[in-house]
């Protein structure tokens, strides 16, 4: 462990001394894994002392430097996973990425490394492969997991329910079993606003009943239930299920973004391909909904805001036990026509569109009550729809053939 001091401040020296003690504790954690919770708590106390010294000024830098936690990111080369990897690295977490590359490319690893200037450990492993996942835990001391890996296309899940239940649910069960066998008790899970089903009325709050209308949605509802049950069975377990609303946008560098296989199902990737000249026309699915302009309203959230929400969730999971479901959204809805207008502004040309019949299974309005994330994590989404569309277009322009 090397710590360099570039300051005349006495308080800096004191903090470095505490860092040194923390680093030593970390070595003990690796050696004495079974006492990790106790030692981690000790580290938390040291961090509190440092916080008093610094009067919260450098809280983010210091609180995370001392922990030096190693996070396993499943599905880390995918759209949301890759942005979260960048954000975790920025906040001094060490990361190990596991992905079977079924819906992403190996090149995403290079791009994460390019943006962050840091090397990451990557495993091309399927989460359903018990031996493969076990090997990752044996080769790395994992403090927590951020679990993105999963299949996510609603329409495809209706056609291939067995593949969806096997991949998403069996894969998560394998992961949880390996975590238990290796004493890893913290997990942040990618859930979805889809768990609010068709019967709740926006804004959605986390205490509303959950349900689903398709196999993909049921995998999210079921995995949340499995995670709750794990917390009941083991009081040391810490789970945060993040219910994402509609993630869009891309990293400001334009190096990573959404790179779907085939024809996109979701609105913004579809508009992006119309803007890029790859698809001819956007179908607006219905303009007779009970919304201000008749088109569907959704809570679009910038993927970078979403990524920072994961860092908050990991911090929270490090310090708390039990199950929490938390919405990650802006709390504001935008209609399809508003998104089209924002994209036209971003790319500087009109988006060819037509009004089409409603898409089966769609609801009129979906947006979050985002107050729990603010209360629990101090997190709020920052970007507006113009910024989201500008970053999406920047990525599309710079990567005409996706991430290759
Ligand atoms: P994505 O497809 O870009 O990323 C998922 C990653 O998981 C991919 O890289 C894929 O290769 C990998 N993967 C799938 N099955 C795997 C397996 N068995 N083993 C190892 N890796 C596997 O999707 P995303 O948009 O980044 O979504 C990430 C998570 O967030 C998913 O669980 C998704 O259901 C959830 N989510 C996404 C949205 C959205 O609109 N993008 C909304 C709500 C929730
Ligand atoms: N839409 C169109 N034309 C298109 C695509 C979409 O008009 O070509 C409309 C839809 O009718 C809807 C809105 O754009 O009103 C958003 O649709 P998306 O398909 O982009 O997003 P959804 O809200 O339907 O669903 C997405 C994910 C789900 C996830 C949900 C909440 O696909 O998996 O967000 O997070 F559960």
């Amino acid at each position: 462990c090397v710590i360099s001091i570039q300051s005349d401040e006495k308080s800096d020296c004191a903090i470095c001394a505490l860092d040194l003690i923390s680093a030593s504790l970390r070595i003990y954690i690796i050696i004495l894994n079974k006492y990790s919770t106790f030692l981690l708590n000790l580290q938390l106390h040291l961090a509190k002392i440092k916080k008093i010294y610094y009067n919260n000024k450098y809280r983010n830098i210091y609180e995370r430097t001392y922990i030096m936690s190693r996070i396993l990111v499943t599905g880390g080369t995918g759209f949301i996973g890759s942005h979260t990897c960048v954000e975790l690295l920025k906040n001094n977490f060490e990361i190990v990425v596991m992905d079977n590359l079924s819906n992403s490319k190996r090149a995403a690893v290079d791009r994460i490394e390019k943006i962050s200037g840091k090397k990451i450990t990557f495993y091309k492993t399927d989460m359903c492969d018990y031996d493969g996942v076990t090997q990752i835990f044996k080769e790395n001391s994992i403090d927590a997991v951020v679990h993105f890996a999963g299949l996510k296309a609603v329409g495809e899940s209706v056609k291939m329910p067995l593949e969806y239940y096997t991949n998403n649910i069996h894969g998560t069960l394998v992961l949880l079993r390996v975590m238990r066998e290796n004493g890893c008790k913290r997990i942040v899970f990618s859930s979805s606003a889809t768990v609010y089903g068709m019967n709740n009325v926006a804004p959605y709050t986390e205490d509303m009943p959950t349900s689903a209308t398709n196999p993909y949605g049921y995998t999210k509802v079921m995995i949340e239930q499995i995670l709750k049950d794990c917390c009941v069975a083991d009081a040391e377990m810490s789970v945060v299920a993040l219910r994402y609303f509609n993630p869009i946008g891309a990293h400001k560098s334009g190096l990573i973004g959404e790179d779907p296989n085939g024809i996109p199902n979701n609105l913004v990737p579809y508009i992006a391909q119309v803007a890029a000249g790859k698809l001819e026309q956007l179908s607006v699915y219905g303009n007779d909904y009970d919304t201000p302009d008749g088109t569907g309203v959704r809570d679009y959230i910038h993927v970078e805001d979403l990524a920072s929400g994961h860092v908050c969730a990991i911090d929270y999971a490090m310090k708390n036990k039990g199950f929490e479901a938390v919405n990650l959204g802006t709390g504001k809805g935008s209609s399809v026509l508003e998104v089209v207008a924002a994209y036209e502004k971003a790319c500087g040309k009109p988006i060819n569109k037509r009004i089409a019949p409603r898409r089966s299974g769609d609801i009129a309005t979906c947006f979050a009550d985002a107050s729990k994330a603010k209360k629990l994590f101090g997190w709020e989404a920052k970007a507006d729809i113009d910024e989201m569309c500008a970053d999406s277009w920047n990525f599309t322009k710079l990567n005409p053939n996706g991430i290759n």
Side-chain angles (χ1 to χ4, degrees), residues 344-373:
E344 286 175 337
K345 201 156 94 183
C347 69
K349 49 186 155 187
I351 300 293
N352 184 14
K353 62 178 186 302
R354 70 174 184 114
I355 304 299
R358 289 180 178 195
R359 185 172 66 177
S360 138
D362 272 356
I363 52 172
T365 304
C366 169
F367 63 94
D369 177 326
S371 57
K372 185 169 175 185

Side-chain angles (χ1 to χ4, degrees), residues 65-94:
T65 307
Y66 81 89
I67 291 180
M68 294 185 291
S69 299
R70 189 171 293 116
I71 312 292
L72 172 65
V73 185
T74 77
T77 44
F79 172 44
I80 307 171
S82 56
H83 289 80
T84 303
C85 285
V86 168
E87 198 62 24
L88 285 167
L89 290 166
K90 197 167 105 188
N91 284 278
N92 292 319
F93 287 97
E94 286 176 29

Side-chain angles (χ1 to χ4, degrees), residues 176-279:
L176 289 169
R177 193 172 135 209
V178 177
M179 284 175 65
R180 188 179 63 186
E181 286 166 1
N182 288 275
C184 180
K185 291 172 186 283
R186 303 177 190 96
I187 182 165
V188 173
F189 170 61
S190 295
S191 190
S192 165
T194 196
V195 303
Y196 291 112
M198 304 282 276
N199 301 323
N200 292 305
V201 177
Y204 297 134
T205 53
E206 290 84 350
D207 54 3
M208 286 177 169
T210 58
S211 64
T213 53
N214 55 70
Y216 165 72
Y218 277 114
T219 69
K220 296 295 177 194
V221 172
M222 285 183 204
I223 294 169
E224 282 202 8
Q225 186 60 49
I226 291 166
L227 291 167
K228 271 183 213 158
D229 293 341
C230 289
C231 290
V232 172
D234 181 352
E236 292 294 307
M237 198 71 190
S238 176
V239 176
V240 184
L242 294 175
R243 295 178 178 165
Y244 313 150
F245 280 68
N246 291 56
I248 61 166
H251 192 265
K252 292 276 177 298
S253 65
L255 285 170
I256 50 174
E258 194 163 9
D259 181 15
N261 287 333
I263 297 176
N265 298 305
N266 297 115
L267 179 65
V268 171
Y270 201 104
I271 296 177
Q273 295 207 7
V274 174
K278 286 188 180 174
L279 292 171

Side-chain angles (χ1 to χ4, degrees), residues 79-80 99-100 102-104 126-127 148 152 167 216 220:
F79 172 44
I80 307 171
D99 201 300
N100 67 358
S102 59
N103 196 36
S104 55
D126 193 299
M127 64 171 162
F148 295 103
K152 63 164 185 176
N167 190 72
Y216 165 72
K220 296 295 177 194

